[in-house]
Amino acid sequence: MCGIVGYIGKRDVAPLLLEGLQRLEYRGYDSAGVVVAGKSGGLKAVKAKGRVRELEARIPKRFAGTTGIAHTRWATHGAPSDENAHPHLDTEGKVAVVHNGIVDNAAELRAKLEADGVVFASETDTEVITHLVARSQAGSLEEKVREALKVIEGTYGIAVMHADFPDRIVVARNGSPVVLGIGEKEMFVASDVAALISHTRQVVTLDDGEMATLKADDFRTYTTSGTRTTATPETVEWEAASYDMGGHDTYMHKEISEQPDAVDRVLRGRIDDKFSTVHLGGLNLDAREARGIRRVKILGCGTSYHAGLIGASLIEGLARIPADSEPASEFRYRNPVVDPDTLYIAVSQSGETYDVLAAVQELKRKGARVLGVVNVVGSAIARETDGGVYVHAGPEVCVVSTKCFTNTVVSFALLALHLGRIRDLSVADGKRIIEGLRRLPEQIQEILAQEEDIAKLAAEYADAKSMMFIGRVRGYPVALEASLKLKEISYIHAEAYPASELKHGPLALIEPAMPTVAIVPDDSLLEKNRAAMEEIKARSGRILAVAHQEQAKADHTIVVPKNEDELDPILMGIPLQLLAYHTALALGRDIDKPRNLAKSVTVE
Ligand code: AGP
């Protein structure tokens, strides 16, 4: 889950590539590199361990060119180092490759190449691609790359340059995203539109098994077996400015603050007051089919899996269809029974998460109906599914997902309402949920206004070595998500448990040094949640409650506005995003680029 970017045109390429890498750094940031085709011929490459700024510092004054490719890395094979950074060149320095993905049969290919006398300069899987291209006797660069790809097993988004073919860049996709940017007498390629949107909004998204040749004034696409394909550029929905930090210190703070507008946007044009329901244009599921659904299975990873858990309770609650959510990677490998009456829903912010994409492909192979709840328009999961709901959260750059989590849960509320009103949900209940949805943006604003107080609380709890998060039923996924946020950016160990499970073991962990965050909504389980807080207090545990009213048993309470029981989880998660944010700030963490993580996980 690296970021690749490339350019061919008239402009000086290095500054364009560095700007593109900075915009892709959320995809991986342990090392970076760039290669350009020099004006006097040949390839010039610079690589550096660390951030793009370290690479920039190493770029020599004389590094001009109008064609180049670059890469920012999230290491899978070979620790972060100058040698393992991309691009990887062959011994003669004629071929350069940048790669996002994993070559599964790299060890076997490497052994063969080394037996043939090839000397490797790095520990990476990617370098085998370079040597395979360099050793091909084919007449064109396209042919050389195609020959290499014939023996490669695994996932890739690659860009290739060759000193003998300075007028082109050849790219290919299998499992990792590759987007072409179509400009006026210039072409771009990148893993994500973020790297090219400030230059063009005309893009072509390659499919798996597709390649392209980019020249300054032309591009053409074809399959890895050489058959021409048609590619009509599409206009990207998001503005370049939406990728800027907009005056905030971090993308995370910007994206948390954008939630009232983001929720407003996901509701816009979808509410149907006449029938107290919602209209979801892209679902591709008619009422008869919707009535035939016997079960709903939601699949996602990380935060998207947590959003799926709340989605399942919304669908079961409002549409009375048995529903659950499962980590996509687990689902794939447990050889599940795929049931024709089950509706499968794939959830993903990036729309590129490999485990989710592979689960969708497996389900499709078995004839299942799969919908997508996705943020990135035109992403692989969006294109692979039979229909779905775009969550319209806008670009989410920070590795840690916040606004997209909220918009995904709201999208599930819309889907549950839609299915419910096709089945047995009453007009009154439909109205109740719609009014609740409409109150969300303002209520989120109210919670964001408490930021200063939440920052003070974060400073008070930031010394904890470990934290427990508890909730019941609708509150439990909120606890799971909040503990994930804290883990991701503060590096404080955090566990989430159904409050009812405490006495079955985790209670042993409770002591003054292990604070507990308790999700305590005003619902039918209020007294049960209070009893759990009693148990913790009895063992001198510190408690920070998120509730609709002050909690006597808690050391501190963050009070959030009440909405409908079904929609309360959306609001109760927001203050805990701020808690994680300010805890990480207090600990001096790199909030937008937490260690060891990356925004979209395009490898298994
Ligand atoms: C969330 O903060 C993390 N970045 C991570 O858990 C993420 O939710 C997961 O990798 C799934 O990503 P997706 O939604 O893009 O598929």
Side-chain angles (χ1 to χ4, degrees), residues 287-360:
R288 190 180 301 280
E289 289 161 334
R291 292 192 68 83
I293 298 166
R294 291 285 158 271
R295 170 169 286 284
V296 172
K297 167 65 87 175
I298 302 169
L299 302 170
C301 297
T303 285
S304 292
Y305 156 60
H306 296 155
L309 286 170
I310 304 176
S313 93
L314 281 160
I315 290 170
E316 195 146 324
L318 296 176
R320 305 311 290 151
I321 307 172
D324 71 327
S325 179
E326 185 175 344
S329 45
E330 287 297 294
F331 176 81
R332 274 181 65 211
Y333 285 110
R334 68 176 177 79
N335 190 21
V337 174
V338 174
D339 170 38
D341 299 333
T342 294
L343 174 67
Y344 295 87
I345 303 179
V347 191
S348 177
Q349 184 290 122
S350 60
E352 302 289 352
T353 299
Y354 185 82
D355 278 319
V356 181
L357 182 58
V360 170

Side-chain angles (χ1 to χ4, degrees), residues 278 280 283 285 289-299 304-326 341-347 369 371-373 388-389 408-426 429 432-433 437 473-474 477 565-567 569-570:
V278 295
L280 299 170
L283 214 49
L285 183 76
E289 289 161 334
R291 292 192 68 83
I293 298 166
R294 291 285 158 271
R295 170 169 286 284
V296 172
K297 167 65 87 175
I298 302 169
L299 302 170
S304 292
Y305 156 60
H306 296 155
L309 286 170
I310 304 176
S313 93
L314 281 160
I315 290 170
E316 195 146 324
L318 296 176
R320 305 311 290 151
I321 307 172
D324 71 327
S325 179
E326 185 175 344
D341 299 333
T342 294
L343 174 67
Y344 295 87
I345 303 179
V347 191
R369 177 188 284 276
L371 298 183
V373 174
V389 182
T408 302
V409 178
V410 173
S411 302
F412 272 116
L414 294 173
L415 180 60
L417 179 56
H418 174 78
L419 294 172
R421 290 288 296 129
I422 286 174
R423 300 161 78 98
D424 313 316
L425 188 70
S426 68
D429 271 333
R432 179 176 63 81
I433 295 296
L437 288 168
V473 186
R474 290 193 188 96
D565 286 1
E566 295 92 337
L567 302 177
I570 296 167

